[in-house]
Amino acid sequence: QVQLVESGGGLVQPGGSLRLSCAASGDIFSIYGMGWYRQAPGKERELVAGYTGISANYADSVKGRFTISRDNANKMVYLQMNSLKPEDTAVYYCNRHPRPLQYWGQGTPVTVSS
């Protein structure tokens, strides 16, 4: 009964900010790390940010602009996105990291445009 529900996406101008939220169910929060992934039109899904409880890692394209955080008590994962660029336009997903489940949620779309 694993569920991954992403929210917080939308339309934002370049240079703006968004905070994405992920609500997770199941037992993955107790023993596994979590991460944010994204898939742009015509491209493969890629890891944007990962957090294991020991360390965090970010894709070079978002380093210094995005921050991943986690609320274990409420089983939530967040992605704070600042200084957004048009290249950040994609559907964003949360999942286990570094070993994502075969199951993926619906994702939340982010569009960065003037």
Side-chain angles (χ1 to χ4, degrees):
Q1 54 180 7
V2 173
Q3 286 189 327
L4 298 166
V5 182
E6 301 92 346
S7 62
L11 175 64
V12 64
Q13 295 184 3
S17 298
L18 283 174
R19 190 193 191 208
L20 306 184
S21 299
C22 169
S25 65
D27 63 353
I28 59 175
F29 256 88
S30 63
I31 57 176
Y32 295 106
M34 296 291 291
W36 283 95
Y37 304 76
R38 71 183 181 188
Q39 186 168 28
K43 296 185 177 181
E44 295 184 349
R45 185 151 44 204
E46 64 173 342
L47 178 69
V48 176
Y51 177 70
T52 65
I54 299 174
S55 62
N57 60 285
Y58 300 90
D60 289 340
S61 59
V62 307
K63 193 172 298 182
R65 301 187 296 117
F66 291 11
T67 303
I68 186 172
S69 61
R70 179 170 175 167
D71 182 350
N72 290 332
N74 293 299
K75 297 184 178 181
M76 298 287 290
V77 185
Y78 305 97
L79 184 68
Q80 179 66 47
M81 306 187 296
N82 299 325
S83 302
L84 283 162
K85 303 176 180 180
E87 308 93 88
D88 297 318
T89 296
V91 179
Y92 285 72
Y93 304 85
C94 64
N95 209 324
R96 195 169 67 184
H97 173 74
R99 299 167 183 169
L101 301 168
Q102 293 297 315
Y103 167 82
W104 295 85
Q106 293 299 114
T108 184
V110 172
T111 301
V112 185
S113 176
S114 299

